[in-house]
Amino acid sequence: MTRTVIESKTKTAVMGFDEPFCVIGERINPTGRKILNEELEAGDFSRVEADAIAQTMAGATVLDINSGAVFSNKMAEDPRYADNNFVEPALMEELVKRVQAIVDTPLCIDSSVPGALENGLAAAEGRPLLNSVTGEEERLELVLPLVKKYNVPVVAISNDDTGISEDPDVRFAVAKKIVERAADFGIPAHDIVVDPLVMPIGAMGTAGLQVFTLVRRLREELGVNTTCGASNISFGLPNRHGINNAFLPMAMAAGMTSAIMNPVALPIGPKKISEKKAEIEAAGIILPEGIDDETFVTLFGMGSTKPRAGKEMEAIRAANFLTNNDDGGAAWITMNREAPKAGQEGRGRAGRKGGRRRG
């Protein structure tokens, strides 16, 4: 049975057909995150550290670390900063060191820059996942030697120099080519994690069916584990969580063994709380005096003021339970156990200290 092993210094994550679904947390990525990008340029890694902790607590089994930052201010002072080959290697090394100093979650080293991949691999403790290699011959020749040198698993993305094909047979053929080329370097199929590429369902009505069919073929014909950018399926649509929550268990049932995704439900901020309070007061509803923000957002179904596991994690853990990959439902029960209220920690039933008394 195919098992892809990813390790930190102290923890092991395993992808496999009979293993719990592997959640690869995606938030340590400056692409499209303006504030994070600016903080990294200023040498501020506090948000990275907070994201590492929040994703781990929400249930991520692996943390993706992407170094694709654009340092616009430094670029104006030094033209070398316009080149990702200059920026990313040093940034990746620092990101890896910062993250593994604060959590022991296994890592996924993510960059299109070979120098950043190697620096990340060199800095990582354990056996990280490498993200990624594609089917272009030049890319295969650059990345596969690194995979072999550091003895790590790699994400294989099903596109090549012709781009991303809408034909699932073409995407399968690219994946097969990568698996075969990896074998030429002595890299076994169990260390190849194929991303068959998820198309937006809003743009292609057969996108979901394509992925499910591809995942089954990849499992049955190539014997490889699979992953995807889970949120791609719902891109551009309303209620994306609803679509993602249906897609993930269906992909798991087809044989998908991991996904790169956000495991965290982002906290509700002061602005949204103020707007909601104004809306409630305008409706003539009188709020209890001194109500705290966490009680308020819980009471009105807004979420939480603290990071917590997102709805997608609920769907994944339910699917793990239903496929007998959650022994006795322990993870499901733990996730859904109500947290004790302030002052009630350590109390048993009915809030009595020490639980039930004996007569």
Side-chain angles (χ1 to χ4, degrees):
M1 205 47 98
T2 299
R3 297 174 80 252
T4 302
V5 178
I6 308 163
E7 297 174 321
S8 67
K9 189 176 182 179
T10 59
K11 280 190 175 179
T12 299
V14 180
M15 287 185 200
F17 306 145
D18 296 315
E19 298 286 341
F21 195 71
C22 182
V23 175
I24 304 172
E26 70 180 7
R27 286 193 56 75
I28 303 175
N29 184 345
T31 306
R33 296 185 69 189
K34 183 180 178 182
I35 294 175
L36 176 59
N37 199 97
E38 290 173 349
E39 289 175 348
L40 292 178
E41 185 170 13
D44 179 359
F45 292 86
S46 58
R47 192 177 302 269
V48 168
E49 292 168 349
D51 281 341
I53 293 169
Q55 290 183 105
T56 298
M57 291 184 68
T61 37
V62 175
L63 296 179
D64 187 86
I65 299 182
N66 185 296
S67 57
V70 177
F71 291 168
S72 301
N73 293 329
K74 288 186 176 181
M75 200 185 300
E77 301 168 2
D78 185 340
R80 291 180 300 171
Y81 282 94
D83 183 1
N84 275 15
N85 291 287
F86 177 76
V87 173
E88 290 200 40
L91 178 60
M92 177 63 83
E93 181 178 353
E94 186 65 21
L95 286 168
V96 168
K97 289 179 177 178
R98 294 274 184 159
V99 171
Q100 66 188 8
I102 201 164
V103 296
D104 57 358
T105 312
L107 303 181
C108 176
I109 310 301
D110 185 357
S111 176
S112 60
V113 175
L117 294 177
E118 178 137 35
N119 274 20
L121 290 170
E125 299 170 336
R127 190 175 197 254
L129 176 65
L130 195 67
N131 190 6
S132 58
V133 67
T134 51
E136 298 98 330
E137 194 60 36
E138 181 182 0
R139 186 73 179 170
L140 291 166
E141 292 291 338
L142 283 171
V143 176
L144 291 180
L146 288 176
V147 175
K148 180 63 178 178
K149 175 182 176 181
Y150 288 92
N151 184 29
V152 295
V154 63
V155 174
I157 300 178
S158 299
N159 70 280
D160 57 17
D161 48 14
T162 64
I164 301 173
S165 174
E166 293 187 359
D167 184 342
D169 290 335
V170 172
R171 301 209 298 278
F172 178 84
V174 174
K176 185 178 180 182
K177 172 189 173 182
I178 297 172
V179 171
E180 290 172 348
R181 291 289 286 113
D184 293 340
F185 284 83
I187 301 162
H190 65 249
D191 276 339
I192 308 296
V193 181
V194 173
D195 181 348
L197 293 170
V198 176
M199 306 294 190
I201 192 75
M204 180 187 295
T206 59
L209 294 173
Q210 279 193 7
V211 171
F212 306 147
T213 300
L214 262 172
V215 167
R216 291 188 191 98
R217 287 192 68 191
L218 290 164
R219 172 176 173 160
E220 293 167 6
E221 297 180 37
L222 299 184
V224 293
N225 283 308
T226 46
T227 195
C228 71
S231 64
N232 289 354
I233 193 71
S234 61
F235 181 78
L237 293 172
N239 190 11
R240 296 185 68 183
H241 292 297
I243 295 171
N244 297 344
N245 291 351
F247 169 74
L248 283 162
M250 292 175 76
M252 292 167 68
M256 188 168 282
T257 50
S258 71
I260 301 170
M261 54 177 281
N262 177 15
V264 181
L266 299 181
I268 305 300
K271 182 179 178 182
K272 286 189 176 180
I273 293 172
S274 296
E275 290 172 350
K276 187 67 173 179
K277 284 182 177 179
E279 178 187 325
I280 289 166
E281 289 169 0
I285 299 171
I286 300 174
L287 294 169
E289 187 176 345
I291 185 171
D292 64 273
D293 285 347
E294 182 63 20
T295 301
F296 173 78
V297 297
T298 302
L299 182 63
F300 288 93
M302 297 176 66
S304 175
T305 58
K306 304 169 187 175
R308 60 178 184 170
K311 291 293 183 182
E312 286 85 349
M313 291 302 298
E314 289 185 11
I316 288 168
R317 283 177 169 150
N320 279 335
F321 193 6
L322 290 167
T323 54
N324 198 31
N325 284 317
D326 178 3
D327 189 20
W332 178 255
I333 292 166
T334 299
M335 181 185 188
N336 288 281
R337 184 177 291 128
E338 188 174 339
K341 296 178 181 177
Q344 295 295 314
E345 296 88 347
R347 294 176 181 264
R349 293 184 185 179
R352 292 197 301 269
K353 189 96 171 177
R356 182 186 297 173
R357 290 184 180 180
R358 296 188 179 187

